[in-house]
Amino acid sequence: MHLIYNLVAYLTAVVFHFLALFLPRPRRKFLRFIRGQRGLMKSIVANERTKADDRPTLWVHASSLGEYNVAKPIVRRLHESGQWRIVLTVFSPSGLDYLKRYRQNVDAVYPLPLDTPRKVRRFLDIVAPEQAVFIISEYWVNYLHELGKRQIPTYLISANITERAPFMHWYGGLWRRELKTYSHFFVLNEASEKRLKSLGFNNVTVTGDPLFDNARKVARTPYENEVITRFVDGQNVFIAGSIHDKKDLEIVTTLANRHQDTRFILVPHEISRESILRIKKRLLCPALCYSHCTIDTDFSKIQVLIIDFMGALASIYRFARWAYVGGGFTPYLHSIIEATAYGLPVAYGPCVERKPTAQELAELGVGRIVENAEELDEWFADLKHNEKRLDKISKTAITYMQRHEGATETILRTISAHIQSQK
């Protein structure tokens, strides 16, 4: 099985190298990813050889910017301690672009080299981590195999173990073997703990999600934006964050078109000329992009503000009264916790199997799972002028957030204790 996995990994690397050589300048996310892999190892070698830092290295891997936000409170604390040099790898090109531009509590940011034995060995030789942290659902076979072989303490944080995980099936023996590399699993819920223990893993702690800590910190941190403040102009605003795909776009723009007496802030997940044009094409009402606005812009006839920059969504939710979060028509629902931190009622698509929080919020009446534009419209219409219900939802949401804080402290204590025991 390992041989087959490696064969697929090598073939993928060869295909990507070929595409990187001959494809024109990339305009889509996949092509940007391919180009990011070209010459990657040489770039990492050059950067790591010039470092002037003798602190031990902590390697953190997050698939995207959203996953990094889960790790952020932990990384922040470790960075502030001054004891670690922190190297971050990211899989998503858009997340990588942002984190390279606005390096947050890390010393180096790289794309994750493909999971082939040679690339893995070379990456670990160069970076030489003394500890490794993976976020949510990272089961790279060769990385785990080599980390285990080198006896590097490795942790999986904010894991939601579902029946869909490869190691939960008859064919998952390869992944089950490599899971032994993890020194400790920090999981979201008791169901995840139970599944891991059924496989013989007892090094499990139910901590919940560090994203609650990060979202609460962002919500409590002052944030001013004169352009958005002028657009809002004291009105109740509907925000659609991380519009992910055509289905998100369809139902959100339909809602805006039907409720032209309400102002909307739309935030696409991918900031590109194409994504902005798709949004504008579907809107029947006046809209402006943030980049085209100033504090002197006249918003009196503008119904929709499109946010065409990255990194501030978690702060921008504070300007809204209702929210929709994208990605819920795929397996990758984006962070609803960031909206909940402000006490907002939040709607999202139906694919919530991997998101326990989405299911819990729906049960509490804070969240709403919608299948189509009609259901989103019905939900919004019921809440639109119901201040009493909105206030009740807000209190429930804030209480829920407060109850789930503290994962960061638990994780840091456990990791610190494990490090001390290894000395």
Side-chain angles (χ1 to χ4, degrees):
M1 187 66 178
H2 206 154
L3 181 62
I4 296 173
Y5 180 94
N6 285 339
L7 179 61
V8 172
Y10 274 123
L11 287 174
T12 301
V14 169
V15 170
F16 281 6
H17 179 72
F18 177 83
L19 291 174
L21 287 173
F22 295 103
L23 281 172
R25 183 177 180 179
R27 294 183 179 179
R28 301 184 64 179
K29 186 174 181 179
F30 176 67
L31 302 185
R32 287 161 57 205
F33 170 78
I34 293 171
R35 286 290 177 91
Q37 292 291 318
R38 186 180 181 184
L40 174 58
M41 297 310 301
K42 290 182 180 179
S43 175
I44 295 175
V45 169
N47 191 64
E48 291 295 306
R49 281 179 177 170
T50 59
K51 69 181 181 186
D53 197 326
D54 58 0
R55 292 174 297 171
T57 295
L58 171 71
W59 169 37
V60 178
H61 174 65
S63 178
S64 67
L65 180 59
E67 277 72 14
Y68 176 68
N69 283 336
V70 174
K72 189 186 291 185
I74 297 165
V75 171
R76 183 191 299 118
R77 290 281 298 279
L78 293 171
H79 183 264
E80 288 172 353
S81 74
Q83 298 176 0
W84 295 92
R85 176 178 184 265
I86 299 175
V87 171
L88 173 68
T89 56
V90 185
F91 206 69
S92 161
S94 56
L96 179 72
D97 291 345
Y98 176 80
L99 289 166
K100 275 189 170 181
R101 192 177 303 116
Y102 304 104
R103 190 174 298 175
Q104 300 174 337
N105 303 307
V106 298
D107 298 282
V109 183
Y110 305 120
L112 180 72
L114 293 175
D115 190 33
T116 64
R118 183 172 177 273
K119 288 180 183 292
V120 167
R121 288 194 296 268
R122 195 173 180 203
F123 175 80
L124 293 178
D125 286 344
I126 298 164
V127 174
E130 294 198 15
Q131 309 276 331
V133 171
F134 291 82
I135 309 300
I136 299 182
S137 58
E138 300 295 312
Y139 312 116
W140 299 101
V141 168
N142 287 311
Y143 277 107
L144 289 175
H145 180 77
E146 194 64 26
L147 286 164
K149 188 176 176 182
R150 299 181 186 213
Q151 297 184 321
I152 296 173
T154 303
Y155 308 94
L156 183 63
I157 289 175
S158 200
N160 180 29
I161 310 299
T162 70
E163 292 295 338
R164 291 187 175 185
F167 46 80
M168 296 301 298
H169 297 274
W170 63 267
Y171 55 80
L174 174 62
W175 285 271
R176 285 192 291 273
R177 285 195 300 274
E178 302 310 335
L179 285 181
K180 295 176 182 177
T181 291
Y182 283 117
S183 307
H184 207 89
F185 299 88
F186 299 96
V187 299
L188 294 182
N189 49 39
E190 292 179 356
S192 295
E193 179 186 36
K194 184 177 180 180
R195 290 188 179 104
L196 283 172
K197 287 189 173 181
S198 74
L199 299 177
F201 296 101
N202 294 309
N203 52 334
V204 185
T205 302
V206 179
T207 59
D209 197 337
L211 191 55
F212 284 97
D213 300 325
N214 189 60
R216 289 277 289 169
K217 180 177 177 61
V218 172
R220 289 191 293 256
T221 301
Y223 175 82
E224 296 181 2
N225 188 303
E226 291 187 66
V227 170
I228 298 178
T229 299
R230 280 183 56 82
F231 170 74
V232 172
D233 193 28
Q235 302 180 49
N236 286 338
V237 171
F238 189 107
I239 184 168
S242 295
I243 300 172
H244 184 95
D245 56 13
K246 291 181 180 179
K247 188 67 175 178
D248 285 336
L249 178 60
E250 174 196 341
I251 68 175
V252 167
T253 53
T254 298
L255 189 72
N257 291 335
R258 289 180 178 178
H259 295 269
Q260 296 192 20
D261 60 335
T262 302
R263 292 196 168 180
F264 283 73
I265 295 175
L266 305 186
V267 188
H269 178 59
E270 288 291 326
I271 307 298
S272 67
R273 181 174 178 272
E274 290 80 4
S275 66
I276 302 300
L277 287 175
R278 282 194 293 269
I279 292 173
K280 287 187 172 181
K281 187 176 180 180
R282 287 196 57 88
L283 289 171
L284 303 177
C285 46
L288 276 178
C289 287
Y290 180 92
S291 61
H292 297 162
C293 302
T294 70
I295 58 173
D296 298 318
T297 299
D298 180 6
F299 289 111
S300 59
K301 296 182 180 180
I302 303 300
Q303 187 200 347
V304 178
L305 180 65
I306 302 170
I307 304 298
D308 54 354
F309 65 92
M310 288 187 66
L313 176 58
S315 296
I316 293 173
Y317 278 120
R318 74 188 63 214
F319 293 100
R321 189 63 163 138
W322 317 270
Y324 174 88
V325 172
F329 290 92
T330 76
Y332 307 106
L333 174 64
H334 296 286
S335 174
I336 58 176
I337 295 174
E338 292 174 347
T340 307
Y342 297 96
L344 303 184
V346 56
Y348 37 87
C351 298
V352 297
E353 295 86 357
R354 300 170 69 246
K355 298 286 185 176
T357 299
Q359 299 177 59
E360 292 171 3
L361 288 173
E363 291 169 3
L364 290 171
V366 174
R368 175 67 179 268
I369 298 170
V370 296
E371 300 272 357
N372 50 52
E374 297 303 323
E375 291 186 3
L376 181 62
D377 191 3
E378 178 186 351
W379 171 78
F380 177 57
D382 286 345
L383 290 176
K384 191 172 181 179
H385 302 296
N386 194 336
E387 289 298 322
K388 185 176 180 180
R389 189 175 168 204
L390 285 169
D391 288 342
K392 182 180 179 181
I393 288 172
S394 180
K395 291 176 182 176
T396 303
I398 297 300
T399 300
Y400 177 84
M401 291 294 298
Q402 291 171 340
R403 193 168 69 244
H404 286 80
E405 281 187 286
T408 299
E409 292 296 334
T410 302
I411 291 168
L412 287 171
R413 280 198 307 269
T414 305
I415 290 177
S416 296
H418 187 269
I419 291 172
Q420 292 299 321
S421 69
Q422 299 297 306
K423 291 182 178 179

